[in-house]
Amino acid sequence: MEITQKDQITEEYYDTVSEILYQHNLKHTQEIDSINKPLEIIIHHNEKVAGGLYGRSIWGTLEIQKLAVSEAYKNKGLGKQLVHAAIEEARVRNCTYISLNTFSFQAPEFYEKLGFEKIGTEHDFPKGFEKYYYRKTL
């Protein structure tokens, strides 16, 4: 056996490792009745992207993986619109929860105002900050 290490992703290997993990997870979760698919919500303004949200529903939870609003459009309620659209889609997909993580320098208060509960903290990641884990019950 040989172990190799690189600072670039080899798509073929990435796909193989992903498939190994998928098969392992499937053995333990195939009885869960859920909609497992990605989610993209984009807000356009004047043919430009003002903000967006990416995530996926899996095993009864919608994970928000990325949410960002361009500086020019901040404080106009777009982030709230994106989260509310994700909540509605989570309900359509029969999700029980929405989960996400954010850093202390990003928007933890924003999520708390929208009813997300902090369920965990990773201290000193990145150095000098925290990473927070949130969940909202639908």
Side-chain angles (χ1 to χ4, degrees):
M1 292 201 163
E2 174 188 1
I3 295 177
T4 59
Q5 179 177 320
K6 296 192 267 183
D7 61 2
Q8 294 181 4
I9 304 298
T10 305
E11 286 297 320
E12 176 187 351
Y13 298 157
Y14 183 87
D15 291 346
T16 300
V17 171
S18 295
E19 182 62 21
I20 292 168
L21 180 59
Y22 171 77
Q23 291 302 324
H24 172 80
N25 291 344
L26 187 61
K27 283 193 304 189
H28 300 281
T29 62
Q30 62 188 359
E31 299 301 317
I32 298 174
D33 181 25
S34 65
I35 297 171
N36 299 334
K37 63 182 181 180
L39 175 64
E40 175 185 85
I41 304 170
I42 303 295
I43 296 178
H44 301 271
H45 183 253
N46 294 331
E47 298 184 31
K48 291 185 178 181
V49 173
L53 180 150
Y54 285 90
R56 71 176 184 160
S57 57
I58 185 167
W59 304 321
T61 295
L62 184 109
E63 295 178 303
I64 295 176
Q65 297 167 325
K66 293 182 190 293
L67 186 153
V69 174
S70 175
E71 286 294 326
Y73 297 96
K74 289 201 174 184
N75 299 311
K76 298 181 186 312
L78 299 186
K80 187 175 181 179
Q81 289 179 42
L82 289 165
V83 171
H84 283 301
I87 290 169
E88 290 310 308
E89 183 60 23
R91 287 188 171 117
V92 168
R93 296 182 185 194
N94 283 333
C95 292
T96 304
Y97 305 103
I98 297 184
S99 68
L100 62 93
N101 63 68
T102 189
F103 294 107
S104 55
F105 59 84
Q106 290 177 327
E109 300 85 8
F110 166 77
Y111 294 110
E112 290 169 7
K113 286 180 188 174
L114 294 175
F116 285 82
E117 176 187 357
K118 188 187 305 177
I119 59 170
T121 301
E122 186 174 353
H123 299 286
D124 212 25
F125 178 65
K127 279 259 189 230
F129 298 95
E130 280 82 36
K131 184 175 185 179
Y132 301 127
Y133 298 86
Y134 284 91
R135 185 162 89 170
K136 180 179 180 76
T137 302
L138 299 179

